[in-house]
Every structure is written in C-alpha cells, then in structure tokens.
Amino acid sequence: MPTALAVRRSFTVLAVSAIVSAGVVGVAEATPPGIPSADTAKTQLAALRVQPDGSSTGYSRDKFPHWSDQGNSCNTREVVLKRDGTNVQQDSSCAAVSGSWFSPYDGATWTAASDVDIDHVVPLAAAWRTGASSWTTAQRQAFANDLSAPQLIAVTDNVNQEKGDKSPDAWKPPAVGYWCTYAKMWTTVKYKYKLTVKSAEKTALTDMLNRC
C-alpha cells in the first residue's frame, strides 16, 4: 500500500500537470481566419496595383458602419472578442465579462475586454485612400465587419491606437516575430478588396514576407 508521503507526492504531480496543461490551453493567440501561405501572399502582392495613395478628403469612420449586428444580441466586436480570447464568458447582452486575450502585436495578455481593441488590419482610412472612397456604403460596411478574412483581430488598445491608419512602411507590430503573419494578413485583405498599394508599402510588405 502506498505511504501517505507517496500519495501526497502523487497528488502533487497530478496538480502540477493540471496547472501546466491549463497554462498551455489558456494561452490562445488571436488567429483570424483566411491567413494565406507566404507563397500565396507573395503572389497576391505581385498582383496588386501600385500607385500613390489617394486623398483622405471626405473620409469619415461613419462611412464604414460598424460594429454590425451578428445575431444573438452580439455585434462584430463581441464576436471577435469571443473568437480571439480564452475562456471568454459573455452576459445576456453578449458583453465579455471575463476571459483573457493575448495580443500578438506586442505579446501582452489582458483580462479586461476594455484593454482590448479590435483592429482593422487594413485601417478604414487606409482603405479609403486606396480604393474604398468609390465604394457604396454597403461595401464599406462589409469591409469594416469582415469575419471571413483576416481583417479583424483583438489586440492591445494602445498599440492599435499607435498604429492608427498607418500602412506597413510607417508602422509594424512591435513583436518582430509577427511581421510575417501581419504582412500575409494585410496583403490578402488588400487583394480581396482590390485595393492599391504604394511603392514604399509594397517594399515593406516584401521585406516582411521574406521573413516567413
């Protein structure tokens, strides 16, 4: 029969194993759908039309209606918070009341939804300058709420605010290890929506994709 010490040691091993397992499961990185391979992204980048950005005249975030109703009392932001978080609990109005969110842009983890922004990978203003100014409001709404492409991702709020409407030649995620993924996401979104790229932007994306 095992001694009391052996039993205690056995329980300790099981407890540590459970904690380690929980830790592995609990660290979830935001992973939007539709991220292409590096080779596919390079092909898409080569197909994009290169030209200087257009004017910001007339731009307003209100021209890209968001966050849209996604059913079950949830809007687009709440759906992404649930998708990108770990152990996210929502109340009856779909607001996230607990959970954790790992921001791949900077490697930070947050336990309050208020510390998390939903980033438009290709910012609304950047889209406006590269083709979206000629879209209908319905097209801009679809772009601003796209849950099928890697256009929306939960990240640290102040990092998202630092990014603003900058393209990759002017801003890249602080976590250099994420540059490859970020470039793949940015490129495929621009490709899907037939948006243009300026020369410096294409160079930056090429350099980032070459890290893959």
Side-chain angles (χ1 to χ4, degrees):
M1 179 178 293
T3 65
L5 177 60
V7 171
R8 284 198 300 273
R9 283 177 176 168
S10 177
F11 277 124
T12 299
V13 170
L14 289 173
V16 170
S17 297
I19 291 169
V20 170
S21 297
V24 171
V25 173
V27 179
E29 181 172 310
T31 306
I35 300 175
S37 68
D39 286 342
T40 295
K42 289 175 182 178
T43 299
Q44 292 174 339
L45 181 59
L48 294 178
R49 185 152 53 100
V50 179
Q51 68 179 48
D53 284 359
S55 171
S56 294
T57 300
Y59 168 73
S60 167
R61 287 179 66 84
D62 293 340
K63 293 184 178 180
F64 293 79
H66 63 288
W67 302 107
S68 297
D69 177 25
Q70 298 294 338
N72 298 319
S73 300
C74 299
N75 64 29
T76 307
R77 170 181 164 83
E78 291 157 344
V79 168
V80 178
L81 283 173
K82 177 72 171 179
R83 182 197 72 190
D84 290 357
T86 301
N87 299 324
V88 177
Q89 300 297 316
Q90 297 169 305
D91 63 19
S92 59
S93 65
C94 203
V97 293
S98 65
S100 65
W101 292 268
F102 175 81
S103 166
Y105 283 7
D106 59 339
T109 297
W110 303 97
T111 56
S114 58
D115 290 322
V116 178
D117 275 358
I118 305 305
D119 179 40
H120 289 97
V121 172
V122 175
L124 305 182
W128 178 270
R129 296 191 298 266
T130 58
S133 61
S134 64
W135 294 351
T136 64
T137 298
Q139 288 174 314
R140 289 192 286 263
Q141 181 172 6
F143 176 82
N145 297 275
D146 191 345
L147 292 167
S148 63
Q151 164 64 346
L152 300 172
I153 185 169
V155 297
T156 302
D157 55 0
N158 63 340
V159 172
N160 182 47
Q161 290 151 24
E162 176 188 282
K163 171 186 172 180
D165 64 354
K166 302 180 185 74
S167 54
D169 52 300
W171 186 91
K172 299 176 181 65
V176 176
Y178 199 68
W179 285 7
C180 164
T181 301
Y182 186 75
K184 290 190 292 185
M185 294 193 299
W186 181 286
T187 299
T188 202
V189 170
K190 282 231 161 173
Y191 181 81
K192 175 179 179 178
Y193 287 94
K194 298 180 172 61
L195 298 170
T196 62
V197 290
K198 58 181 182 285
S199 180
E201 176 186 350
K202 183 173 183 179
T203 297
L205 289 166
T206 299
D207 291 345
M208 294 164 79
L209 290 172
N210 285 338
R211 291 175 173 267
C212 296

